[in-house]
Amino acid sequence: MNGDPLAAARDTPEAAPESPHHPSQRQEDTVDAEHDTKRSYVTQGQEFNRDTNYITDRILDDPQAKWPVEVGRYRLIAARACPWANRTMIARRLLGLEEAISIGMPGPTHDKRSWTFDLDPDGRDPVLGIERLQQAYFARFPDYPRGITVPAIVDVRSGQVVTNDYNQITLDFSSQWRRFQREGAPDLYPEALRAEMDPLIKLIFTEVNNGVYRCGFAGSQEAYEKAYDRLFTALDTLEARLADRRFLMGDAITEVDIRLFTTLVRFDPVYYSHFKCNRNRLSDFENLWGYARDLYQTPGFGDTVDFVQIKEHYYIVHTDINPTQIVPVGPDLSGWLSPHGRDERFGGSPFGAGTPPEAPLPHDTVDPAHTAAAWT
């Protein structure tokens, strides 16, 4: 996932009995030792430090730019399993950019080399024609030395990666692609709120989005306990903030809600157990749990979430902390569809003066068996 030193799906599916709560097929453990993920995440005795050096090129609404905004020219590669990629999926849906920027979706698991398009016919992305995202990186940088991460935007004409700077991609969807946003699209990064939003964005990234990884990939007891305290201090702060407002910035959704949501929706299925973030479940927080359910039930948020792929990614790929690669059946996800009451309590509207997006396009639609509805 984004920032991980890895990136691709295992190649050979293993036939397995299906379960109503875990219906997709496991991938056969055929990755050779050279490309196995073992010892890729945890360094004994050390804290987890994320490599945040990304390809920082931007697609700009300027015809003279190196990468100008142009409908149909770029393809977003975003795995449903990855929280950083999930951000871009949500922003693209909310802003109505589906027709302007196509999307390719690798499968949920990967090895050291790259994410792969194992969910597509013949194992190739139907637009780019490649088997591994690595090929788009190498098309531009033959000796690319870092992780092959998602999300990434690829120039369809050249087959070259343009950027994998997940922090900037969603901001540019809001600012640079305005001419192609749908009518009624929300303003996710309003200029009048940025002075307050930017420190909150930083807090959410350092202490929550990355904080769960700091717990899960800690290489010592001391590093883990320090990370654990930081994470729950931040969650307590956000819990208090949400006690008197419906969304993080008030009555309508913004960029910060997208960034927090993708960690919260993975918390009980993965981070609580797999990453040992177990002081509280998300469902134990009154305000955070109600807020997360409010977002999940908002068009553009929950309809991008694939719980099966999420669990498969973490529990299969992270052999450093789950060497058996057994994927848990639980937890019960039906609570995500229960009434949250925050609309009655606080009023407001997720889209402010705007409107919700239309239903997802067929290619963008999550398998119903992979959603919270499968548990009802």
Side-chain angles (χ1 to χ4, degrees):
M1 62 188 19
N2 198 22
D4 290 351
L6 312 174
R10 298 174 185 275
D11 299 312
T12 309
E14 174 185 330
E18 292 204 349
S19 154
H21 304 312
H22 184 63
S24 71
Q25 293 181 333
R26 286 283 307 271
Q27 301 293 318
E28 188 176 358
D29 188 11
T30 58
V31 177
D32 58 76
E34 180 184 357
H35 299 114
D36 192 2
T37 65
K38 192 174 182 180
R39 294 183 296 278
S40 296
Y41 294 99
V42 178
T43 302
Q44 288 298 316
Q46 296 185 21
E47 296 182 356
F48 170 69
N49 290 303
R50 182 177 299 279
D51 180 358
T52 56
N53 292 299
Y54 296 105
I55 303 167
T56 57
D57 287 24
R58 296 176 62 192
I59 299 168
L60 302 174
D61 193 12
D62 176 356
Q64 304 304 313
K66 179 179 181 180
W67 306 107
V69 164
E70 187 177 327
V71 169
R73 178 170 176 178
Y74 304 101
R75 188 158 176 82
L76 171 66
I77 306 302
R80 291 198 185 278
C82 171
W84 321 93
N86 196 181
R87 290 182 187 180
T88 62
M89 291 179 165
I90 294 171
R92 176 176 169 269
R93 283 268 294 123
L94 295 177
L95 297 173
L97 294 173
E98 294 99 322
E99 299 289 352
I101 307 168
S102 68
I103 191 168
M105 292 184 238
T109 61
H110 61 68
D111 61 21
K112 284 185 179 180
R113 290 166 291 183
S114 171
W115 296 86
T116 60
F117 296 98
D118 53 311
L119 301 181
D120 289 308
D122 301 321
R124 292 180 179 273
D125 180 86
V127 172
L128 301 174
I130 57 177
E131 296 175 325
R132 290 180 173 271
L133 179 56
Q134 184 184 57
Q135 293 167 258
Y137 278 71
F138 287 175
R140 184 173 176 200
F141 305 107
D143 299 316
Y144 189 73
R146 299 185 181 280
I148 309 299
T149 62
V150 291
I153 295 181
V154 178
D155 175 36
V156 175
R157 293 178 185 174
S158 64
Q160 297 180 354
V161 66
V162 174
T163 180
N164 64 348
D165 186 358
Y166 65 90
N167 181 60
Q168 190 63 45
I169 288 172
T170 52
L171 299 180
D172 284 345
F173 283 176
S174 287
S175 63
Q176 302 302 311
W177 290 82
R178 284 187 183 276
R179 289 188 292 121
F180 304 104
Q181 293 173 12
R182 66 181 177 85
E183 185 177 353
D187 186 354
L188 297 175
Y189 194 47
E191 194 153 353
L193 297 179
R194 290 180 189 178
E196 183 181 356
M197 285 178 69
D198 288 345
L200 191 56
I201 284 173
K202 182 177 181 180
L203 170 76
I204 289 169
F205 170 72
T206 59
E207 305 304 301
V208 181
N209 301 149
N210 197 45
V212 292
Y213 287 86
R214 199 181 292 114
C215 290
F217 295 152
S220 71
Q221 186 70 32
E222 180 182 8
Y224 163 69
E225 291 183 9
K226 179 180 176 182
Y228 178 98
D229 289 342
R230 286 179 61 177
L231 169 65
F232 282 100
T233 296
L235 289 174
D236 288 341
T237 298
L238 294 166
E239 170 77 359
R241 183 181 180 92
L242 289 165
D244 61 2
R245 66 191 76 197
R246 185 170 176 185
F247 304 107
L248 285 170
M249 299 305 300
D251 292 338
I253 55 174
T254 60
E255 175 79 19
V256 288
D257 297 300
I258 298 173
R259 296 187 181 214
L260 181 57
F261 173 77
T262 59
T263 294
L264 296 184
V265 80
R266 289 161 173 78
F267 200 90
D268 287 359
V270 174
Y271 303 143
Y272 178 84
S273 55
H274 184 59
F275 279 176
K276 307 179 185 70
C277 301
N278 59 358
R279 194 199 77 179
N280 301 90
R281 297 167 301 173
L282 175 64
S283 56
D284 295 326
F285 288 96
E286 178 184 359
N287 299 319
L288 281 166
W289 176 225
Y291 161 82
R293 294 187 341 261
D294 192 355
L295 291 176
Y296 184 83
Q297 295 168 33
T298 297
F301 284 84
D303 55 31
T304 70
V305 174
D306 187 313
F307 285 111
V308 169
Q309 288 198 29
I310 287 168
K311 291 197 295 182
E312 287 185 339
H313 172 77
Y314 286 92
Y315 287 100
I316 294 174
V317 171
H318 297 160
T319 54
D320 282 354
I321 54 179
N322 188 40
T324 67
Q325 299 181 297
I326 293 171
V327 180
V329 173
D332 184 335
L333 300 170
S334 60
W336 282 99
L337 300 177
S338 63
H340 52 78
R342 292 181 66 82
D343 45 355
E344 294 91 347
R345 181 178 172 189
F346 297 115
S349 169
F351 299 97
T355 59
E358 295 183 1
L361 297 172
H363 179 63
D364 288 3
T365 301
V366 177
D367 183 341
H370 295 198
T371 69
W375 288 81
T376 58

